[in-house]
Amino acid sequence: MATGTGELAERRSLLKAATDALTDLDEALAAAPADDLGDLMELLDTLAARASAARVQVTLEAVRRGEVAGPATHAWVRTHAPSLRQSGAAAVTRLALDVAAGDTPTHRNDPGPDTPLGVVWTAVRTGQVEAGTGCAVLREATRLAPLLESAALPTATSGLLALAAEYGASVMRRLRPRLLAEHGHDGALDDLHTRLAAAAHLSMPHMESGDLTEYQLWMTPAQAATLEAAIGPPSAPAPNDDTGEADLRPAGQRRVEALTVVCATATAHTTGAHDTDRGPDTTLHLTIPLADLTTTDTATPAGLLTTLTGTFRPPATTRPAGPLPRPRQPPRTRRAPPPPAHPPAAPGPCSPPPPTAPSSPPRTSDASAATPPSWSTSSAPAANP
């Protein structure tokens, strides 16, 4: 809504008064009652959120008026908002430029409320989220747009925004598998798990000062579910059966000890005829209706499998009960025999004839005909006396 010059001057004077009121606030806090500290904190948080939103609005106004444009906007923000030099100038600039991109030479067009940018802009201009959080939500929505149904994109953006506002951008990204499972195209979740398999890895051991060994482990949801099923029960607290003393080991210690026990058991326990046949695999029993197993539609929650931690897994990553198939080794190619170091010598007068492979004798009744030829000294010519 348009306002007059007088109202803007009044708001500016109030802002200056608020700035003066916050100067040396710590000196006045000593006299504040304990019950007032919480209320004062809420008031300051509301003021900071409104001020953060106002910085984006002022930047957008400068862009729309043509005061700045393009890459120069970032420098303009850093010049007039020095606190954003530490962090945040890029997010304010990016959001202002994206919103102004929908304007025409004669009209200002705010993004539609049903678009991801419109949903995020409404939250930023009202102080619900910071500009940096809004940009993180837009990046995630842009990444999910090709994988989701078009009608579900605004709803997915709203869910991402609510989760980011409550817990931060890092927790917001955990919603991606659920969004793909419930609103994604057919096979989108399977494609995601296929791409994740190439990124999973276990690092080489890193000795830390010769004491502890450090590993870095990245696993797909299916791999993580298998690991948790194996070490989950052994890592539970185990009170002393005799004294009843509680298990005081931290959770991290219990988990690494459970993993060590599982690995040691798998290494030492042999049940097959060969050394490579180890003990029985860990089995996770699931009760799933037959109708859900016979469908391959991952666009509905009915066609999904979830782990004990709530992680979504496509049906393709779940195998029936039984041992895991062993990886097939690639065929080995025969190498050609190396050439002889020296060429064979030419046959001389004293060299015996080269041996030949005995051929199959003809089937005759004559026993002598069936005898394979052999080299005998009696057949050699007699030497001259």
Side-chain angles (χ1 to χ4, degrees):
M1 182 178 64
T3 57
T5 307
E7 183 176 353
L8 181 60
E10 182 181 357
R11 289 175 180 256
R12 170 174 274 183
S13 62
L14 292 176
L15 290 175
K16 289 183 177 181
T19 304
D20 295 337
L22 294 177
T23 303
D24 298 329
L25 180 62
D26 55 338
E27 298 178 358
L29 288 178
D35 297 339
D36 293 346
L37 293 178
D39 296 338
L40 183 60
M41 188 66 175
E42 294 177 2
L43 179 60
L44 292 173
D45 182 72
T46 303
L47 180 61
R50 298 288 177 84
S52 177
R55 289 186 300 194
V56 185
Q57 295 173 4
V58 172
T59 305
L60 175 61
E61 185 66 23
V63 173
R64 283 176 165 173
R65 290 188 180 187
E67 299 294 331
V68 290
T73 308
H74 185 262
W76 186 89
V77 172
R78 288 174 55 88
T79 300
H80 298 284
S83 63
L84 294 180
R85 296 175 185 176
Q86 308 170 19
S87 170
V92 171
T93 302
R94 182 74 269 164
L95 196 57
L97 292 177
D98 289 347
V99 174
D103 295 346
T104 64
T106 57
H107 294 84
R108 295 183 175 185
N109 298 322
D110 288 339
D114 294 334
T115 62
L117 181 58
V119 173
V120 171
W121 173 239
T122 301
V124 171
R125 66 184 297 270
T126 57
Q128 181 181 354
V129 296
E130 295 283 342
T133 304
C135 288
V137 173
L138 284 177
R139 288 193 299 268
E140 186 69 14
T142 302
R143 182 176 183 179
L144 292 175
L147 306 176
L148 299 178
E149 300 290 343
S150 57
L153 190 56
T155 303
T157 306
S158 300
L160 293 172
L161 187 64
L163 198 60
E166 187 70 21
Y167 301 103
S170 59
V171 179
M172 168 200 66
R173 299 183 183 93
R174 302 180 185 177
L175 190 61
R176 185 185 307 161
R178 186 178 186 90
L179 291 176
L180 292 179
E182 296 182 355
H183 305 288
H185 296 295
D186 187 17
L189 187 61
D190 300 83
D191 295 340
L192 175 63
H193 281 248
T194 302
R195 293 194 303 269
L196 290 178
H201 71 276
L202 173 62
S203 67
M204 297 296 293
H206 174 68
M207 298 295 294
E208 183 64 26
S209 301
D211 296 330
L212 295 177
T213 302
E214 179 184 359
Y215 290 89
Q216 289 186 353
L217 177 62
W218 296 78
M219 308 181 73
T220 64
Q223 295 168 345
T226 304
L227 178 63
E228 291 300 325
I231 69 174
S235 63
N240 193 307
D241 296 335
D242 299 332
T243 63
E245 183 181 0
D247 191 350
L248 302 181
R249 295 175 301 166
Q253 180 182 354
R254 297 198 308 268
R255 289 174 61 84
V256 71
E257 291 178 357
L259 179 60
T260 304
V261 171
V262 170
C263 294
T265 303
T267 304
H269 184 53
T270 302
T271 58
H274 304 284
D275 293 339
T276 56
D277 296 333
R278 300 305 179 186
D281 298 326
T282 302
T283 304
L284 178 63
H285 297 279
L286 301 175
T287 303
I288 306 174
L290 179 61
D292 295 346
L293 291 177
T294 55
T295 179
T296 59
D297 182 13
T298 59
T300 58
L304 300 170
L305 301 174
T306 57
T307 65
L308 298 178
T309 58
T311 305
F312 281 82
R313 294 177 55 188
T317 62
T318 305
R319 64 177 179 87
L324 285 173
R326 301 191 180 278
R328 183 175 299 175
Q329 298 293 336
R332 297 182 177 179
T333 57
R334 296 182 177 271
R335 296 184 177 179
H342 302 284
C350 299
S351 301
T356 58
S359 58
S360 300
R363 296 182 179 180
T364 61
S365 59
D366 190 357
S368 61
T371 304
S374 60
W375 297 103
S376 175
T377 57
S378 61
S379 61
N384 296 326

